[in-house]
C-alpha cells in the first residue's frame, strides 16, 4: 500500500495530474470502462471534404434540429382536438371574438397572439419546414448529379429518399393541424385522394377520418403522427444516414492528391466542428430572421375551417405543389364500368404519379446500372455532371418535369398576374409539362458534351482582370490576385497531426523543433 | 359537438344583433306574415331613432312605396335587405322616396337638382356606347352590344363610375378593370340622378354605418360567400374566360355594398339572403380587417399564401444558407 | 515533411511540422481576424442580452426574432470564421480502408448464418413451415386492431345525402329560402333544414342554390320541373376533389371550383366544360311549398362529390 501524497503546490498538483489535466483523467476513466480512446481519436481525426456543396445536407440536418426544438415548444400549447370552444370576447384579433372554433384552431391563434414568443416559434417552425424539405431536395440533387449514390452508397440514397418522403408527409400533416380554412381544404382534398384509390379507397378514407369527412378525430390522429411517429422514424433514419456516412466515409471530388483510397479535407476536430457549429447557428439565425420578418400562414386571417367555406387561390405548401399542379392539368379521365368507378383524373396525378417519382428516385442506382451505362464498381470519387451526360440529362429532365408541374399549381395566379385567360394558361401548362422534359434531356446532353470539350478550366471561376488607365491614356489589364479558397487545394494533403497547435507539440513532446515565430508560423498562446 | 356548435353559433348571432339593436334575425326566424315588418322596424329602431336625412319624412315599415319604382324581380318578401321595403323610408316634400334603409345601411337617391348636370355628363361620357336614352340603343339602331342602364338603380351607376371602370378604357374588353376614376363622386351622383329619372329603380346609393359592426359575423359570411372568388385575404384572382375577381384592398365601403347589392359584371347579386346588417358586417370586415390586415408576424406577402411563402423559403432560406455554405466551404473543384 | 509515429509503435502520435504550409491559418492577418471574430461575438452577446430584455419588457413581436436571429448569425459567423481562417488551413488526408472483409471472413459469416440458422430450419421443414405460418397469421391479425378499429365501414354511406323530398332549403343561419328572396344572378349555399350546423350537413349536403332567371328552364331532359322560378340547385361538392364549388360567375353562368378551376355550366345540368372534373355536379330537384319556400322535390339521384371505387 502506497501512501497518497497530497500535492502541496500547484506545480505538484499539475505534475500529479499528468500533461492533460482533468481532461486526461476523464479520458482515462472513460477508456478504462468503455474503451473510447482509440475510436474516439479516429473520430476526431475523421476527414470531411471541404467543398461547399457537401454542406447542403447540413442545412437539412440543422433545420430538422430547429423543427424539433420549436416543435416541442408548440406541443406545449397546441390542443389537438376538434371540440368546439368560443373565442373569448377580449381576444386581440377582433374578427374572431365570439366565434365558435375548434380547440385546435383556438390554441393555435392563442399561441400566436397571447403566448410570448409563441408566434415566433410557430413561424420559425413553419419556415424551418420549408427550408428542411428544400435543403433535402437540393442536397439530393447534389448527390444525384455528382454520382455520390453509386456503390457502395445505394443504401444511404434509399435512406435519404425515404427521409424526403417522410419530410413531405410530415410537412403536410403539420400544415393540417391548425384546422383553419386553408388547411381544412387541404385535408378535404387528401380525403378525396384516398377515396380515389381503387378497391380500398372508401375504407382508407373511413379509417383515417373515423367515418365521414371531416369527423371528429382527424386532427388528433394527425397530431400524434406528426409529433411522435414520423419524427421518431426521421430521427432513426437520420441516425442511420449519418452512421452510414461515417462508416463509408465521405465522397470527394477528384483533384490534387485525391484518390479512391483517401479522403482529403478538414479534420472533424476542431476545424469541422467549428465550421459546422457555426453553420448550425447560421441556419438557426436565418430561420429566426425569417420568423421575425416574414409572416407565414396567418391562420387568423383565414378563420376556422367550415366544410362549405372555401377560398380561391388556396395552394398547398411548395413541396406538395407538383401534385397540385398535375391534379390541375390532368385531363378529366374517369372510368366507370361494371358498377365501379376509377377516378383516374385523381388516382394518376395524386397516387400513381408520386409513386412513380419516388420509386424512380429510389431505384435510380439500379436503373442507372441497367439503362444509363452505369457500372457496378465502388466509387468514392465524384463525377462532374458534364462527364456523365446521360445521368445529368435525365436528372435535369426529371427536375424540369417537377418544376413545370410546380408552376402549374399556380395557373390561377399566373393567369391573374399576366392577365391571360385561365384556359390558355392551363393548355400552355399541359403542353409545357410534356415538352419541357423532352427538350431538357437532349439540350442538357448536348451542353454536357460541349462542356467536356471545353478544357479543364471550364466552369471554374475566372480571375477577373483589373484594367488600369495609365497617365498616357493607355489601358493596361492585369490579372487580379488569386482569392483565398481558390488556391486552397494547391497544397498537398497531410495526415492529421495529433497536435493541431504546433507550439504545443513542441512544448509537450519535443519531437518537432519549436516553430519559428518570425516565419509567420502560427503560435497558439497558452 | 354538433349541437354545441349550433348553440354557440346562435349565441354569436344573438350577440351581434344585440350590439346593433336590430331584431332582423328574429324576424327572419319567424314565419313571414304581412304586417309584421312595421312592428319589427319600430321595435328595432325605437320610436325616436332618426335615420332619414334631415328635411325628409321618415316612415317606418313598408308602406307607400311608389308603384312606378322598379324593384329587383318585383320581389317583396324580404325586408331589411337592400330593397325599398327596408325598415324605414324617407320621403321628401314632393312625396318622392329619396332614401330608405335602417341604422346599418341607408340607401339614398342623389338630389334631383343634379339631373341637368347628369344629363350633360352622360351625353359626353356615356352616350356613345349606352345610347342617348341610356337604353343601350345606339344611334344607328344596333342594340345588345352594350348594356341598357335604365331600371338598374343608382347604386349600379355609382359602382361602375366611382371605381373608374366607366367610362371604359377600352369598351371591347371582356371585363373593365378598376382604375383611377375619371369622374368624381359628385359627377357620378349626377349621372345616377339623371339615369334614375328615366326610370326610377332601386337600389339607391348606400352608405354603411360601420360603427358597431360585428366583424366576426363579417368574417364568417365573407368566408362563405366572398372568399371563393376574392380569396380569403381579399386579393382577388383570375376566373373563367379572362374574367377576374378584383382585389378588395382599395374598395370603399359604399362600393362594397354597391357590389353586393347589384352584382356587377360576373359577380353574383346578393339580395334577400343577406340582410343589411350582414352586409354591413361584411363591409366592415373588408374595410377593417382585409384592407388593414393584422400582419403581426411580419411582411404579409400579399396574402398569396403558400406559393409566395415557398418562394421566400427557398430563395431566402435555402438560397441564403447555400450562400453561407459557399463561404464555409471551398469553391474550387 | 510529415512524419507518422505509428511506425514506432508506442504513442500513436502523428505530428506535422509547424512550419508546414498546411498548418498555417488561412488568414493573412490572424490578429485582424481575431478582432473581427471578437466583434462578432460581442454583437452576439449584445443581441442575446437584447433578446432577454425585449422578452422581459414584452417588446414588439419582431424584436425577439430579429435579435435572436442577429445573435445567432453573429455567433455562427464567429464560429465559421474561426474554423476557416484561424485553424490550420489543411488540407488533411485520411486513408480510406476497404469496407469489404476478406474472402474467408465472408464465408465464415455466411456459414454461420446458414449452418446455425437457416440450416436448422431447413432440416426441420414442418417446424419451419409452421413458424412461417404463425408469423404470417400474426401479422395479418395484428392489422385488425391497427386498421379495422380506426373507423366504421363505409357501406353505402358515401352514396347518400340527407336531402329528402319536401325538405326546406335553409341558409347557414337556418333561414328558409323564399322563392322571392333572391334576384337573378344571386347565389346562396343551402343545407337541409335542421342540418345547417352539422358536420354532415356542411360537408356532404351542402348545395349551391342559384337563381339563373325568373322563369323555369330545363337543364337536362327529364329535369323540366326541377327549376321553379329559374332557381337551380347543385351539389356544392366538386366531382373532382370535393372542394366546395362556391364560385359563381353570373354572366357566364358558370360555377367554378376554386381549387382546380373546373368549370360547370349551370344551364345544361352543370356539365363540366373546362378543367379536371370528370362529371357534372349532381342536381337537386327543387319545388316551392304552399308558403312559397323552396323545398327539395327529392334527394340527389346520384352520389355527390368525388369518384370512388364503389360509385356505380
Amino acid at each position: 500500500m502506497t501512501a497518497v501524497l497530497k500535492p502541496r503546490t500547484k506545480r505538484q498538483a499539475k505534475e500529479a495530474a499528468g500533461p492533460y489535466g482533468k481532461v486526461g483523467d476523464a479520458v482515462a476513466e472513460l477508456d478504462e470502462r468503455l474503451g473510447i480512446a482509440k475510436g474516439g481519436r479516429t473520430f476526431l481525426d475523421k476527414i470531411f471534404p471541404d467543398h461547399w456543396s457537401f454542406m447542403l445536407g447540413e442545412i437539412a440536418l440543422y433545420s430538422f434540429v430547429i423543427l424539433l426544438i420549436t416543435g416541442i415548444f408548440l406541443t406545449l400549447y397546441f390542443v389537438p382536438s376538434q371540440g368546439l370552444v368560443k373565442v373569448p370576447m377580449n381576444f386581440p384579433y377582433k374578427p374572431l371574438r365570439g366565434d365558435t372554433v375548434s380547440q385546435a384552431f383556438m390554441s393555435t391563434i392563442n399561441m400566436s397572439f397571447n403566448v410570448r414568443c409563441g408566434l415566433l416559434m410557430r413561424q420559425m417552425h413553419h419556415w424551418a419546414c420549408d427550408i428542411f424539405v428544400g435543403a433535402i431536395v437540393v442536397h439530393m440533387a447534389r448527390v444525384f448529379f455528382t454520382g455520390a449514390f453509386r456503390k457502395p452508397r445505394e443504401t444511404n440514397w434509399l435512406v435519404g429518399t425515404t427521409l424526403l418522403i417522410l419530410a413531405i408527409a410530415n410537412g403536410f400533416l403539420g400544415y393540417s393541424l391548425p384546422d383553419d380554412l386553408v388547411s381544412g381544404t387541404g385535408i378535404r382534398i387528401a380525403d378525396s385522394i384516398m377515396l380515389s384509390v381503387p378497391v380500398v379507397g372508401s375504407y382508407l378514407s373511413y379509417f383515417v377520418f373515423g367515418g365521414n369527412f371531416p369527423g371528429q378525430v382527424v386532427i388528433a390522429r394527425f397530431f400524434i403522427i406528426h409529433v411522435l411517429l414520423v419524427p421518431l422514424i426521421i430521427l432513426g433514419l437520420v441516425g442511420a444516414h449519418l452512421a452510414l456516412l461515417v462508416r463509408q466515409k465521405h465522397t470527394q471530388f477528384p483533384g490534387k492528391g485525391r484518390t479512391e483510397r483517401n479522403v482529403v479535407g478538414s479534420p472533424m476536430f476542431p476545424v469541422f466542428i467549428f465550421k459546422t457549429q457555426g453553420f448550425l447557428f447560421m441556419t438557426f439565425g436565418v430561420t429566426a430572421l425569417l420568423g421575425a420578418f416574414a409572416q407565414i400562414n396567418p391562420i387568423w386571417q383565414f378563420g376556422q375551417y367550415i366544410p362549405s367555406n372555401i377560398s380561391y387561390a388556396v395552394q398547398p405548401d411548395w413541396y406538395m405543389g407538383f401534385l397540385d399542379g398535375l391534379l390541375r392539368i390532368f385531363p378529366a379521365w374517369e372510368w366507370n364500368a361494371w358498377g365501379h368507378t376509377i377516378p383516374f383524373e385523381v388516382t394518376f396525378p395524386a397516387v400513381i404519379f408520386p409513386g412513380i417519382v419516388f420509386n424512380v428516385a429510389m431505384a435510380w442506382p439500379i436503373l442507372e446500372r441497367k439503362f444509363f451505362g452505369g457500372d457496378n464498381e465502388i466509387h468514392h470519387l465524384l463525377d462532374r455532371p458534364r462527364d456523365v451526360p446521360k445521368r445529368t440529362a435525365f436528372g435535369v429532365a426529371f427536375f424540369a418535369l417537377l418544376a413545370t408541374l410546380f408552376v402549374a399549381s399556380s395557373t390561377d395566379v399566373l393567369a391573374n398576374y399576366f392577365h391571360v385567360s385561365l384556359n390558355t394558361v392551363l393548355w400552355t401548362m399541359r403542353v409545357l409539362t410534356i415538352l419541357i422534359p423532352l427538350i431538357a434531356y437532349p439540350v442538357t446532353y448536348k451542353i454536357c458534351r460541349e462542356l467536356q470539350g471545353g478544357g479543364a478550366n471550364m466552369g471554374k471561376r475566372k480571375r477577373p482582370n483589373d484594367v488600369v488607365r495609365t497617365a498616357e491614356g493607355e489601358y493596361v489589364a492585369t490579372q487580379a490576385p488569386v482569392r483565398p479558397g481558390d488556391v486552397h487545394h494547391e497544397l498537398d494533403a497531410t495526415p492529421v497531426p495529433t497536435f493541431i497547435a504546433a507550439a504545443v507539440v513542441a512544448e509537450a513532446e519535443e519531437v518537432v523543433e519549436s516553430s519559428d515565430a518570425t516565419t509567420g508560423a502560427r503560435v497558439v498562446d497558452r | 359537438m354538433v349541437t354545441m356548435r349550433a348553440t354557440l353559433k346562435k349565441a354569436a348571432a344573438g350577440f351581434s344583433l344585440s350590439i346593433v339593436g336590430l331584431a332582423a334575425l328574429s324576424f327572419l326566424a319567424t314565419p313571414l306574415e304581412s304586417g309584421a315588418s312595421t312592428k319589427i322596424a319600430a321595435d328595432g329602431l325605437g320610436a325616436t331613432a332618426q335615420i332619414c336625412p334631415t328635411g325628409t319624412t321618415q316612415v317606418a315599415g313598408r308602406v307607400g312605396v311608389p308603384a312606378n319604382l322598379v324593384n329587383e324581380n318585383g320581389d317583396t318578401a324580404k325586408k331589411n335587405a337592400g330593397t325599398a321595403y327596408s325598415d324605414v323610408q324617407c320621403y321628401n316634400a314632393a312625396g318622392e322616396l329619396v332614401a330608405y334603409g335602417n341604422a346599418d345601411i341607408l340607401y339614398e337617391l342623389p338630389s334631383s337638382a343634379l339631373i341637368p348636370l347628369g344629363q350633360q355628363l352622360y351625353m359626353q361620357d356615356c352616350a356613345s356606347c349606352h345610347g342617348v336614352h341610356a337604353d343601350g340603343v345606339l344611334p344607328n339602331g344596333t342594340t345588345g352590344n352594350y348594356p341598357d342602364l335604365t331600371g338598374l338603380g343608382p347604386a349600379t351607376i355609382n359602382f361602375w363610375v366611382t371605381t373608374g371602370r366607366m367610362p371604359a378604357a377600352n369598351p371591347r374588353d371582356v371585363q373593365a378593370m378598376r382604375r383611377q376614376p375619371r369622374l368624381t363622386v359628385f359627377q357620378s351622383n349626377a349621372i345616377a340622378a339623371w339615369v334614375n329619372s328615366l326610370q326610377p329603380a332601386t337600389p339607391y346609393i348606400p352608405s354603411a354605418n360601420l360603427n358597431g359592426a360585428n366583424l366576426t359575423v363579417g368574417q364568417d359570411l365573407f368566408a362563405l360567400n366572398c372568399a371563393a372568388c376574392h380569396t380569403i385575404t381579399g386579393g382577388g384572382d383570375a376566373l373563367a374566360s379572362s374574367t377576374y375577381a378584383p382585389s378588395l384592398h382599395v374598395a370603399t365601403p359604399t362600393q362594397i355594398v354597391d357590389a353586393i347589392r347589384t352584382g356587377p359584371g360576373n359577380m353574383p347579386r346578393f339580395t334577400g339572403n343577406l340582410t343589411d346588417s350582414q352586409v354591413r358586417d361584411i363591409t366592415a370586415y373588408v374595410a377593417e380587417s382585409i384592407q388593414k390586415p393584422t400582419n403581426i408576424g411580419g411582411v404579409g406577402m400579399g396574402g398569396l399564401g403558400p406559393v409566395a411563402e415557398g418562394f421566400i423559403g427557398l430563395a431566402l432560406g435555402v438560397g441564403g444558407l447555400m450562400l453561407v455554405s459557399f463561404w464555409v466551404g471551398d469553391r474550387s473543384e | 515533411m510529415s512524419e507518422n509515429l505509428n511506425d514506432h509503435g508506442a504513442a500513436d502520435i502523428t505530428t506535422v511540422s509547424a512550419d508546414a504550409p498546411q498548418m498555417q491559418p488561412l488568414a493573412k492577418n490572424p490578429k485582424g481576424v481575431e478582432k473581427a471574430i471578437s466583434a462578432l461575438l460581442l454583437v452576439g452577446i449584445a443581441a442575446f442580452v437584447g433578446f432577454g430584455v425585449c422578452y422581459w419588457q414584452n417588446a414588439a413581436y419582431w424584436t425577439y426574432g430579429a435579435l435572436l436571429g442577429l445573435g445567432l448569425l453573429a455567433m455562427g459567423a464567429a464560429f465559421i470564421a474561426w474554423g476557416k481562417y484561424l485553424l490550420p488551413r489543411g488540407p488533411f488526408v485520411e486513408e480510406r480502408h476497404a469496407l469489404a472483409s476478406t474472402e474467408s471472413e465472408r464465408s465464415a459469416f455466411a456459414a454461420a448464418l446458414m449452418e446455425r440458422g437457416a440450416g436448422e430450419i431447413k432440416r426441420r421443414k414442418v417446424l419451419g413451415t409452421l413458424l412461417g405460418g404463425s408469423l404470417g397469421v400474426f401479422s395479418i391479425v395484428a392489422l385488425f386492431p391497427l386498421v379495422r378499429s380506426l373507423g366504421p365501414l363505409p357501406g353505402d354511406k358515401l352514396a347518400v345525402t340527407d336531402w329528402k323530398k319536401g325538405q326546406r332549403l335553409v341558409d347557414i343561419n337556418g333561414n328558409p329560402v323564399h322563392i322571392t328572396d333572391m334576384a337573378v344572378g344571386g347565389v346562396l349555399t343551402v343545407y337541409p333544414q335542421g342540418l345547417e350546423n352539422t358536420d354532415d350537413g356542411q360537408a356532404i349536403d351542402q348545395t349551391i342554390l342559384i337563381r339563373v332567371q325568373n322563369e323555369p328552364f330545363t337543364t337536362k331532359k327529364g329535369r323540366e320541373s326541377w327549376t321553379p322560378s329559374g332557381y337551380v340547385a347543385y351539389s356544392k361538392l366538386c366531382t373532382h376533389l370535393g372542394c366546395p364549388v362556391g364560385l359563381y360567375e353570373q354572366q357566364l353562368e358558370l360555377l367554378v371550383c376554386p381549387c382546380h378551376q373546373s368549370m360547370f355550366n349551370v344551364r345544361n345540368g352543370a356539365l363540366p366544360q373546362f378543367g379536371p372534373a370528370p362529371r357534372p355536379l349532381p342536381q337537386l330537384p327543387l319545388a316551392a311549398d304552399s308558403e312559397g319556400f323552396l323545398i327539395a322535390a327529392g334527394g340527389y339521384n346520384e352520389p355527390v362529390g368525388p369518384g370512388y371505387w364503389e360509385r356505380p
Side-chain angles (χ1 to χ4, degrees), chain A residues 95-207:
Chain A
L96 291 173
R97 286 180 188 171
D99 212 354
T100 308
V101 298
S102 71
Q103 294 201 29
F105 185 84
M106 183 68 227
S107 57
T108 314
I109 55 170
N110 190 53
M111 76 172 85
S112 304
F113 280 87
N114 290 336
V115 175
R116 227 178 266 191
C117 270
L119 183 59
L120 179 66
M121 291 291 173
R122 235 196 92 215
Q123 300 207 133
M124 281 176 71
H125 193 70
H126 204 141
W127 283 123
C129 171
D130 274 8
I131 294 174
F132 181 47
V133 185
I136 294 179
V137 171
V138 178
H139 170 60
M140 248 179 117
R142 198 280 297 169
V143 168
F144 179 87
F145 286 114
T146 58
F149 57 83
R150 288 174 298 173
K151 192 174 171 184
R153 294 183 179 77
E154 301 98 325
T155 327
N156 226 9
W157 170 260
L158 220 57
V159 172
T161 319
T162 315
L163 279 171
L164 174 63
I165 297 169
L166 288 172
I168 290 175
N170 221 28
F172 175 78
L173 292 171
Y175 180 83
S176 303
L177 292 181
D179 203 19
D180 62 287
L181 179 58
V182 177
S183 72
T185 308
I187 303 182
R188 166 73 246 200
I189 291 175
D191 176 39
S192 303
I193 290 171
M194 289 178 218
L195 283 175
S196 82
V197 177
V199 187
V200 297
S202 48
Y203 295 87
L204 202 59
S205 162
Y206 260 57
F207 291 163

Side-chain angles (χ1 to χ4, degrees), chain C residues 247-260:
Chain C
L247 197 169
Y248 178 59
E249 299 201 67
Q250 64 139 320
Q251 287 178 339
L252 298 169
E253 296 180 336
L254 282 181
L255 274 170
V256 182
C257 178
C259 286
H260 300 97

Side-chain angles (χ1 to χ4, degrees), chain A residues 226-298:
Chain A
H226 175 76
V227 303
L228 183 76
L229 193 58
V230 182
L232 266 187
I233 303 174
I234 290 183
L235 211 55
L237 286 178
V238 165
H241 203 65
L242 296 179
L244 280 169
L245 171 83
V246 171
R247 173 86 182 127
Q248 297 176 328
K249 291 200 169 75
H250 217 293
T251 54
Q252 59 187 349
F253 279 106
K256 188 173 182 186
R258 298 182 210 167
T259 68
E260 293 278 7
R261 314 249 2 204
N262 68 8
V263 195
V264 174
S266 303
M268 167 78 128
F269 187 79
V271 183
F272 182 75
I273 286 279
F274 267 70
K275 287 183 180 175
T276 197
Q277 189 65 31
F279 206 53
L280 167 65
F281 289 136
M282 293 291 257
T283 312
F284 219 136
V286 167
T287 316
L289 286 183
L290 279 171
F293 293 110
Q295 178 168 278
I296 189 162
N297 205 14

